[in-house]
Amino acid sequence: MRRTFLKGIAASIALTGVVGAAAPALAETAAEFYEGKNVRFIVPYKPGGGYDEYARLIGPYMEKYTGARFDVVNMPGAGGMKGANEIFNSPSDGLTVGIINGSAMVTNELAGIEGASYKVADYNFLGRVVADQRVLAVSTKSGIDSYEDILNADNPVLLGATGLGGSTYVDAVIVGTVMDNNQKVIHGFNSSSDVRQALLRGDIQGMWGSWGSARKGVAAGDFKIVTHSERDGSENTPGVPSVFDFVDQADDPTKAEEILVAWDALSAVGRPVATPPGVPEDRVAFLREAFAKAMQDPEFLEKAKQAKRAINYRDGAAMADLAKSSTDLKPEIRDLFVAAIKGEL
């Protein structure tokens, strides 16, 4: 009797094992993984600046669409590199994201700046928050009415810029070199606002910079935009030709366009949000979807508008392409950019 009982138990155990093998436990979904988790949201600058404000605007909407808690962590240092390195080198579990100064990180990587322990194209991008259009502004008292006036100038046009290698300098020398402008770049100003003051005083005639920085001067009638970086036009500068519209006037139009495409990609990287390399694909996809929903949430957009923070969203896949095109350059184009970044042009 006892022997028969034991055989019955053994048979039951064997049957249970077969049934269990036929119905394995379901894998955890990305949504289930993030529910109730804490996610670090790295900001590579101190509290109170634009990057910090964007992160604090976005955080609650990432919480809304992921079910996780997003904790903003400010990590200033090395011009944004400390925070960028932290994002890149964090565990690949998808519990760290961050906003980076994409254009600056690209230039640091291209120039081989010490301390840049990341590869921009290797981040897992969730998407871009904003990228400020690059514009060439001239004083309305300069006598310059169009970009053609600069191309055809008999005397060098004086353009102001911050320190060697800064964005205002890189813009000026890259475009000037490609288009063979008759220009002289006066550099060494402490900030772009100092350059704008020199423009107002008449010490210089023009400057490259962001649309966001130039728009107040344009609205006041002090500045005029004569060209810009958006090859397909922009609602910020209606009727103003892009610098791409003039490439046929360059000595080598094909090469000029190739260089300008790389330059445009550099500025278009803008301010993306990313997570480290190696994060599981399903978690990256989930975060990208949540980020897209956050960027298009009507309440979020209204709050951004109230805070006077522009939104120019691009999705994660598009950002991955931009990051690759801004860093995967032909040697001669890379050399040109490195020379500009190092202030050698």
Side-chain angles (χ1 to χ4, degrees):
M1 182 71 176
R2 184 170 181 273
R3 194 174 296 158
T4 304
F5 176 72
L6 291 174
K7 284 182 179 180
I9 291 176
S12 297
I13 292 171
L15 180 61
T16 301
V18 171
V19 173
L26 294 175
E28 182 181 44
T29 66
E32 290 168 338
F33 170 79
Y34 279 102
E35 185 63 37
K37 291 287 201 310
N38 283 3
V39 178
R40 292 192 307 159
F41 197 150
I42 305 296
V43 176
Y45 301 100
K46 64 184 180 181
Y51 285 84
D52 181 68
E53 187 168 359
Y54 273 119
R56 294 179 191 278
L57 281 169
I58 295 165
Y61 296 92
M62 290 298 288
E63 293 180 346
K64 176 179 177 179
Y65 293 112
T66 63
R69 174 177 172 173
F70 279 69
D71 299 315
V72 173
V73 179
N74 294 89
M75 197 168 289
M81 276 201 300
K82 182 179 178 181
N85 286 336
E86 177 68 17
I87 299 163
F88 190 84
N89 295 306
S90 288
S92 56
D93 53 13
L95 294 178
T96 299
V97 304
I99 185 169
I100 62 174
N101 183 341
S103 301
M105 295 308 103
V106 168
T107 58
N108 289 341
E109 181 180 333
L110 290 176
I113 298 298
E114 185 178 356
S117 64
Y118 57 81
K119 294 292 183 184
V120 173
D122 290 348
Y123 283 103
N124 276 305
F125 290 98
L126 307 189
R128 185 186 71 192
V129 182
V130 68
D132 221 346
Q133 177 185 2
R134 308 304 293 176
V135 298
L136 175 54
V138 298
S139 167
T140 51
K141 298 179 181 178
S142 66
I144 299 171
D145 292 320
S146 67
Y147 188 57
E148 287 94 336
D149 289 345
I150 295 176
L151 290 173
N152 300 320
D154 292 326
N155 298 313
V157 174
L158 302 181
L159 300 182
T162 54
L164 292 175
S167 59
T168 55
Y169 178 84
V170 171
D171 290 343
V173 297
I174 287 290
V175 176
T177 299
V178 168
M179 298 304 302
D180 195 27
N181 292 348
N182 187 3
Q183 66 180 34
K184 181 177 181 180
V185 180
I186 311 297
H187 58 82
F189 291 92
N190 290 326
S191 67
S192 57
S193 61
D194 288 340
V195 184
R196 289 192 293 276
Q197 287 301 313
L199 192 55
L200 286 170
R201 290 194 302 267
D203 296 339
I204 56 175
Q205 294 165 284
M207 68 173 290
W208 277 96
S210 69
W211 162 251
S213 296
R215 61 183 178 182
K216 288 184 180 178
V218 172
D222 296 320
F223 303 156
K224 179 179 181 178
I225 307 302
V226 293
T227 193
H228 57 83
S229 61
E230 300 285 335
R231 68 183 307 165
D232 297 321
S234 168
E235 62 182 13
N236 296 327
T237 51
V240 178
S242 164
V243 70
F244 285 92
D245 294 328
F246 299 97
V247 291
D248 59 344
Q249 299 184 43
D251 292 337
D252 185 342
T254 301
K255 184 177 180 181
E257 177 146 351
E258 195 172 15
I259 293 170
L260 289 175
V261 165
W263 168 69
D264 182 45
L266 177 67
S267 59
V269 174
R271 303 185 187 193
V273 173
T275 194
V279 174
E281 290 182 8
D282 63 326
R283 295 179 191 176
V284 173
F286 179 75
L287 290 173
R288 282 182 172 181
E289 182 179 0
F291 187 76
K293 290 177 179 177
M295 290 291 98
Q296 298 169 74
D297 188 292
E299 184 180 71
F300 165 76
L301 292 172
E302 180 58 30
K303 287 189 175 182
K305 182 178 179 181
Q306 291 173 2
K308 296 184 178 179
R309 290 293 173 187
I311 302 297
N312 186 6
Y313 166 70
R314 291 193 74 170
D315 65 36
M319 286 309 303
D321 290 341
L322 269 175
K324 188 174 187 301
S325 63
S326 65
T327 54
D328 187 15
L329 305 176
K330 289 183 177 180
E332 63 270 23
I333 295 178
R334 176 183 286 269
D335 290 346
L336 177 67
F337 275 80
V338 170
I341 293 163
K342 291 184 175 181
E344 297 171 355
L345 289 182

